Amino acid sequence: MSQVALFIELAAIALVFAGIPLAYLWTRPGFNFFQKLNWVLVFMTFDLIVFGAFTRLTDSGLGCPDWPGCYGTSNPFHALSDIAQAEHALPDGPVTVIKAWIEMIHRYLAMTVGTLILIQVGLAFSKLKAMGKAPLIGSLGLLMLVCIQGAFGAWTVTLKLQPIIVTIHLMLAITLLACLTAYAQQGWIDKSATVRVIRIRPLPATLLLAGFVVLFSQIFLGAWVSTNYAVLACPDFPTCIGALWPDTNWSEGFTLWRQLGLNAQGDFISPAALQTIHWAHRLFAVLVLIVLGTLGLKGLKVTTAATPDLGRISKLLLGLLLLQLITGISNVVFQWPLLAALLHTAGSAALVFCLVRMSYWASWKSPIQIKKTKPL
C-alpha cells in the first residue's frame, strides 16, 4: 500500500471514530455545541491516557513495529501474514494479532482526538467575531500540542520503547488533558453578552501551584518506573528487598538517554538502579500525599454555599489520593496486576483534572477575592 493510500485510509478511520461523539453531541440538549465538544475532548483524552497505559502494560507498544500503519496497512486485518511471520520468527516476541489490534486502536483513538481538535479550531474560527481571538489562539495551541504528542508516539515505536521517549509521551498526554480541561472550563462568553459571571476565588494559588509541581513530578517518576519495568524491583512493602533503605545507584537509574533495559554504556541495567527508580517514586509519594491532602482539606474548609462545586472536587481529590495509595501498594503486594496498574494511571490523570478544576477558584490574593465586572 502506498503512503498516500495509507494516510487516506487512516484519515477515513479517524473521521468515522470522530463521528461517533459528534453524532452524540448533536442529540444532547444543554450547552452550545462548542462547549459540549470541549468537554467531550477532555473525556476522550482521559480515555486515551488509560488505553495508552493498557497498551504499555500488555506489552503491545510494538504490536505494530512501524508507524503510522501496521506493516504498511491501515489495520491488522490487512497484515495477518506479516504478523504470522513475526510470531513464527519470535514466538515470545512483541508481535501478535491481539497486540497489533491493541496498538492500532490506541492510534485510532489518538487520531480521533486530533480530528476533534481540528473541528474545535474550525468552530473557534467561525466564532471569531462573537468571542474574539482567545478561543482560536487557545485551540491552535492545543492542535500544536497534539501534533507534538503524535510525533512522540511515532518515536515511541521507531526508537523501540526508549524509556525517556515513552515517559515524555505520557507527560505530554497528561499536559494535553490539563490544557483541554482549562480550555473547557473557560466558558468563552460571547463578547456581546450583557451578563458576566461573578467568580469567587477562595483558594490560595500558591498552594495549588505547589500541588501541580509535586503531582507532575510524581507522574514523571511513576512513568519512569513503568517504562523501565521497575515496579517489581522492590517486591515488598513498606521495605524494599527487606531493607528500610535499599542499595541505590542514582546516576545509573536516572540517566535519561539510554535504551530500554540498558545503562548509558550499553550494558544491562543493574538491580540497584531499578531499585533506585522504584524507591524514588515511593519516597516522593509521601510529599504528594501531604501537599495534595492539605489542598483537598483546604478546599473543603473554604467551600461555601456559593462554591458547592469546589467542595465536590475537593472530596474527589481526597478520594483519588486514597485510591492512588491503595493501587500503588497493590501493584507491589500483588505483583503488578493489570487492573491495579490501570487504576493507578487513571487516578493520576484524574488528579490532574481535579487540580485544573480547582484552579477555577484559585487566587493569588487569599483568602477571598470577588471579582466583579461591569456589564458590557
Side-chain angles (χ1 to χ4, degrees):
M1 178 181 292
S2 69
Q3 284 293 102
V4 174
L6 173 61
F7 277 102
I8 290 174
E9 286 194 15
L10 289 174
I13 292 172
L15 287 172
V16 170
F17 271 67
I20 297 172
L22 288 175
Y24 173 77
L25 290 181
W26 280 114
T27 66
R28 305 301 299 173
F31 295 109
N32 63 62
F33 185 83
F34 184 65
Q35 256 327 78
K36 289 187 290 186
L37 175 62
N38 294 338
W39 284 113
V40 164
L41 270 166
V42 173
F43 175 76
M44 292 290 296
T45 303
F46 179 85
D47 290 346
L48 179 61
I49 291 170
V50 176
F51 199 86
F54 179 75
T55 303
R56 183 176 69 257
L57 293 167
T58 55
D59 292 323
S60 302
L62 296 178
C64 291
D66 54 333
W67 190 93
C70 188
Y71 288 96
T73 69
S74 62
N75 66 80
F77 276 136
H78 296 156
L80 290 178
S81 61
D82 293 300
I83 294 172
Q85 289 178 19
E87 280 192 86
H88 180 74
L90 289 172
D92 298 322
V95 179
T96 67
V97 173
I98 293 177
K99 290 181 178 181
W101 271 111
I102 291 172
E103 169 66 3
M104 286 308 296
I105 290 173
H106 177 56
R107 295 183 195 179
Y108 296 156
L109 288 174
M111 290 188 299
T112 301
V113 170
T115 302
L116 292 175
I117 290 179
L118 278 172
I119 294 171
Q120 181 193 64
V121 171
L123 288 173
F125 181 77
S126 70
K127 296 176 179 290
L128 194 59
K129 291 183 179 179
M131 297 192 304
K133 295 180 181 179
L136 179 59
I137 293 172
S139 191
L140 288 172
L142 291 170
L143 180 60
M144 183 180 299
L145 180 57
V146 82
C147 289
I148 296 172
Q149 168 72 347
F152 273 90
W155 293 330
T156 293
V157 177
T158 58
L159 294 178
K160 309 301 181 185
L161 306 182
Q162 187 167 332
I164 189 60
I165 299 298
V166 182
T167 299
I168 293 174
H169 188 52
L170 173 61
M171 295 306 299
L172 285 171
I174 292 291
T175 302
L176 179 63
L177 175 67
C179 292
L180 283 167
T181 304
Y183 187 92
Q185 72 182 14
Q186 292 304 310
W188 303 121
I189 300 172
D190 193 314
K191 290 197 301 181
S192 63
T194 58
V195 178
R196 287 283 182 97
V197 176
I198 297 176
R199 188 181 302 179
I200 300 174
R201 303 173 182 267
L203 271 180
T206 49
L207 179 58
L208 186 67
L209 180 60
F212 273 112
V213 171
V214 298
L215 179 58
F216 271 75
S217 299
Q218 179 68 343
I219 292 174
F220 178 89
L221 290 173
W224 194 239
V225 170
S226 181
T227 56
N228 282 280
Y229 295 88
V231 175
L232 300 182
C234 295
D236 49 331
F237 184 86
T239 57
C240 179
I241 317 292
L244 291 176
W245 190 275
D247 292 335
T248 57
N249 188 330
W250 293 90
S251 61
E252 185 179 356
F254 285 91
T255 297
L256 300 182
W257 190 260
R258 53 181 173 74
Q259 296 299 312
L260 176 62
L262 305 177
N263 59 22
Q265 289 72 42
D267 300 320
F268 287 112
I269 192 168
S270 68
L274 294 176
Q275 289 167 196
T276 304
I277 294 169
H278 183 114
W279 197 245
H281 185 55
R282 275 201 206 180
L283 291 178
F284 207 81
V286 177
L287 180 61
V288 173
L289 287 171
I290 292 172
V291 175
L292 294 191
T294 301
L295 180 62
L297 293 174
K298 178 67 174 179
L300 289 176
K301 183 178 179 181
V302 300
T303 298
T304 65
T307 59
D309 287 344
L310 175 58
R312 285 190 282 268
I313 294 293
S314 298
K315 290 178 182 177
L316 178 59
L317 176 68
L318 294 172
L320 287 169
L321 281 177
L322 179 61
L323 174 68
Q324 289 301 89
L325 182 63
I326 293 172
T327 55
I329 295 174
S330 297
N331 280 330
V332 175
V333 174
F334 298 112
Q335 302 295 291
W336 207 13
L338 179 61
L339 179 59
L342 282 176
L343 286 174
H344 201 59
T345 300
S348 299
L351 283 171
V352 171
F353 172 81
C354 286
L355 289 194
V356 177
R357 293 292 289 132
M358 292 179 81
S359 68
Y360 188 84
W361 297 281
S363 171
W364 291 102
K365 297 179 180 179
S366 58
I368 294 177
Q369 175 192 12
I370 301 178
K371 184 178 181 181
K372 299 181 179 180
T373 58
K374 296 180 181 180
L376 293 176

